[in-house]
Structure formats: C-alpha cells, structure tokens
C-alpha cells in the first residue's frame, strides 16, 4: 500500500490571521476608502490587549518572556515528569541563570502551557471574557471579509476532517490503495507563548496542536524548516510553505519546497477567502511532479 504525507507549513501573521496590517492601517488603506481605517486600528489594538492579558494571566508570559524557545518540547529532556497539580509556579524560584535547574522549571511551564492549550480557552476564561472574545472575532471576520473563517476552513480542509493532527490525518482514495497523511504546522516569527495564545484566540488550536507550533524568533525559519524535515522525513513526504514574507520564501527555496505567497491586497492572486487545498495541490504537483490526478483530488475537498 502506497503511503504519502503532505505537510503544510503555515505562517501566522498576515497569512492565517491579519493583525499587524490592521493596527498600522495598511489593510484598510488598500481598499481605497471602502473600509474605515480607524475601525481596523481599534480592532487590532483590542486583539493586542486580549493576547497580552491572556499571556500574562494564564501562560506565564511575564516569567518566560526573556526565555523564548523555538518549540515547547525543546527542553523535554529536563522534565522529570513531576505531577504539577499542586505546583506553585510563583514560588519555585524560576529565573536566571539558565542552568539545569531553571531549565527544568521552564520545562514544567512548557508542559503546563501544552496542557492548557489542549484544553482550550473555554476552560480558563470566564463567561464575560469568552463573550467579549467571540464578539470581537465575529466583528473582525466581518471587517476582513471573512479572512479568518476562510483561513480556518482551508486549514480544516487540508486536514481532511480528522482532529488527531499530532499523528497526522489519514485518508484513502476511492481505489483504497493510497494512504495520505496531512499535517498542519505553524512556523511564526513571533515569540512562542504569544503565538500559541494567538492560535487559541483565532480558533486554530484544534487544527494545529501545540507540538506543531514553532517560533523562528531567534533561530530563523530555515532552521525550523530543517527540524520539520527531520521530524517528518521519509521518501513520500511532501512539504508546502504558505506565507507572506521574504524569509519563509527564501527558506522554502533553500529546502526546494513549494512556496505559496499570500497577499492581503484585494487584487492579489492568493488571499483569504480564495485560497483552497486544490490550489495548494497544484503547487505540490509542480514541485514534486505528481502527475496523477488522484493526488490533487485527495488534496481538494469535494465540490471544489
């Protein structure tokens, strides 16, 4: 039985979500007066406040801000598996220097973050905050012509419905003779903890598990891509990078992976709504030479 894996490597800001371009007004300005620039700025700033508040209140960001790591499991070797149920993170003495003891304390925090991430924000936020968050999401999605919900839908379609994305999603073609595995990965230039919180706030947490979130803040995107290739290495593994920036473009070229350029401009070729798994399937075919139509059929949801 033939087995193939498609690994989708997504950028976050100005790709799966819009935030910077809302805050600086460039998103609205591109619409030549049909969108209120100040409304977008206010929406972006409200998101910033939500992100920082949740980072500080629930994800140890004040404690770990200066200890950014490229992914949560990077210090797993220092975690002795201690039960953290009654652990007091405010009194364990965590801080400089970066010795083995403090690496263990940071590993504890990373494990706690992964646990909270998996449970989701509904388990830690009160009803008023959840209501405010939900209303802001709907307002933002409407203001951006459904960019956020369309990006989420594309992620969901790439995953072919299965939520077990840590071990990838499995689907078979009609003949039953090929197994396709689909994995969504996030590589963002933002620091790790705020990026994880963004995933949750922008409703991506059930589609991108915490172990599939990478921060290139210090190490660069090429290093992250190299780790991902090593992690998912195999003869039938195919990678595709989707983002808006030059760094992920150059890194994808270095890896000889297809790169899909996202551009929020209204007239751009690839943006949300618009980009579909069928479009990504075309890029896979161009780079990897998948001439078999079944490959593209697997990538595309029915009806597209």
């Amino acid at each position: 039985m033939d087995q193939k894996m498609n690994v989708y490597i997504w950028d976050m800001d100005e790709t799966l979500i819009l935030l910077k371009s809302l805050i600086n007004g460039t998103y609205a300005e591109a619409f030549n007066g049909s969108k209120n620039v100040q409304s977008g700025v206010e929406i972006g700033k409200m998101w910033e406040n939500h992100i920082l508040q949740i980072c500080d209140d629930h994800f140890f960001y004040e404690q770990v801000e200066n200890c950014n790591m490229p992914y949560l499991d990077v210090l797993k070797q220092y975690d002795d598996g201690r039960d953290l149920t009654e652990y007091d993170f405010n009194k364990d003495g965590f801080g400089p220097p970066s010795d083995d003891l403090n690496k263990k304390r940071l590993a504890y925090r990373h494990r706690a973050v992964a646990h909270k991430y998996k449970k989701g924000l509904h388990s830690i936020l009160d009803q008023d905050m959840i209501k405010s968050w939900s209303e802001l999401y709907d307002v933002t999605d409407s203001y951006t012509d459904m960019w956020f919900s369309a990006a989420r839908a594309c992620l969901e379609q790439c995953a072919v419905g299965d939520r077990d994305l840590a071990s990838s999603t499995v689907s078979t073609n009609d003949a039953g003779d090929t197994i396709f595995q689909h994995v969504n990965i996030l590589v963002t230039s933002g620091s790790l903890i705020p990026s994880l919180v963004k995933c949750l706030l922008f409703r991506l947490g059930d589609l991108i598990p915490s172990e599939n979130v990478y921060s290139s803040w210090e190490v660069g995107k090429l290093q992250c891509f190299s780790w991902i290739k090593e992690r998912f290495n195999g003869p039938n593994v195919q990678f595709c990078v989707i983002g808006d920036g030059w760094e992920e473009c150059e890194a994808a070229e270095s890896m000889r992976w297809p790169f899909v350029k996202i551009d929020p401009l209204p007239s751009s070729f690839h943006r949300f709504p618009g980009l579909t798994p069928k479009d990504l399937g075309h890029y896979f075919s161009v780079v990897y030479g998948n001439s078999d139509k079944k490959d593209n059929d697997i990538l595309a949801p029915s009806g597209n």
Side-chain angles (χ1 to χ4, degrees):
M1 183 176 291
D2 190 20
Q3 297 189 31
K4 294 185 178 181
M5 176 181 287
N6 293 323
V7 179
Y8 305 88
I9 302 173
W10 300 87
D11 182 37
M12 176 175 278
D13 293 295
E14 310 310 309
T15 299
L16 289 174
I17 69 166
L18 301 174
L19 187 57
K20 182 179 179 180
S21 63
L22 294 180
I23 293 171
N24 64 25
T26 56
Y27 173 77
E29 289 168 357
F31 287 81
N32 297 319
S34 64
K35 288 188 181 294
N36 186 300
V37 175
Q38 188 58 34
S39 294
V41 173
E42 291 172 0
I43 288 171
K45 288 183 176 179
M46 283 190 283
W47 278 118
E48 269 196 328
N49 291 335
H50 277 316
I51 292 164
L52 290 174
Q53 181 181 346
I54 293 172
C55 281
D56 290 341
D57 292 351
H58 302 286
F59 288 86
F60 312 110
Y61 191 52
E62 287 187 4
Q63 297 179 4
V64 306
E65 183 176 2
N66 296 320
C67 307
N68 186 60
M69 293 292 161
Y71 53 94
L72 284 180
D73 282 347
V74 71
L75 296 176
K76 194 172 183 178
Q77 61 180 309
Y78 295 96
D79 189 340
D80 57 12
R82 175 175 174 174
D83 184 354
L84 301 178
T85 306
E86 302 297 331
Y87 189 85
D88 191 340
F89 289 99
N90 293 317
K91 296 181 180 179
D92 67 348
F94 173 70
S98 182
D99 55 17
D100 285 359
L101 178 58
N102 279 304
K103 286 178 180 177
K104 179 172 73 172
R105 291 164 176 164
L106 182 55
Y108 287 168
R109 284 160 173 79
H110 282 184
R111 174 151 58 94
V113 165
H115 179 70
K116 291 184 178 185
Y117 185 98
K118 189 171 183 178
K119 291 180 67 176
L121 292 181
H122 283 85
S123 68
I124 59 178
L125 300 182
D126 61 36
Q127 290 302 311
D128 288 341
M129 185 65 175
I130 290 172
K131 184 174 183 292
S132 174
W133 160 38
S134 181
E135 290 174 351
L136 181 58
Y137 184 95
D138 291 341
V139 167
T140 309
D141 203 34
S142 177
Y143 180 82
T144 60
D145 303 321
M146 307 305 176
W147 184 290
F148 289 67
S149 56
R152 177 186 157 77
C154 186
L155 268 181
E156 195 166 20
Q157 290 161 2
C158 287
V160 198
D162 192 318
R163 292 297 193 271
D164 187 17
L165 298 181
S167 59
S168 75
T169 302
V170 179
S171 60
T172 60
N173 63 17
D174 292 339
D177 56 2
T178 302
I179 291 181
F180 285 80
Q181 296 179 296
H182 307 269
V183 182
N184 285 317
I185 305 285
L186 183 74
V187 178
T188 173
S189 57
S191 54
L192 184 62
I193 299 303
S195 297
L196 288 163
V197 170
K198 285 181 184 178
C199 279
L200 294 175
L201 279 171
F202 295 115
R203 302 181 180 177
L204 306 175
D206 60 330
L207 297 171
I208 305 176
S210 62
E211 59 266 38
N212 287 3
V213 176
Y214 292 78
S215 166
S216 64
W217 181 270
E218 283 95 359
V219 300
K221 296 211 169 181
L222 183 57
Q223 176 62 74
C224 290
F225 289 4
S226 298
W227 284 329
I228 293 165
K229 183 178 181 181
E230 181 179 352
R231 177 182 169 192
F232 293 100
N233 193 29
N236 292 317
V237 181
Q238 303 177 149
F239 301 87
C240 183
V241 179
I242 309 100
D244 74 303
W246 62 268
E247 188 185 2
E248 56 260 32
C249 178
E250 290 187 353
E253 289 179 356
S254 296
M255 303 296 289
R256 298 184 178 180
W257 295 345
F259 175 72
V260 182
K261 169 72 173 176
I262 300 295
D263 190 339
L265 291 175
S267 59
S268 67
F269 191 60
H270 289 315
R271 67 192 307 278
F272 292 111
L275 184 70
T276 69
K278 188 173 184 178
D279 298 322
L280 302 181
H282 170 72
Y283 282 84
F284 276 116
S285 297
V286 168
V287 172
Y288 293 102
N290 295 339
S291 59
D292 188 346
K293 184 177 181 295
K294 290 178 181 176
D295 286 0
N296 283 337
D297 288 344
I298 290 294
L299 284 164
S302 59
N304 281 359

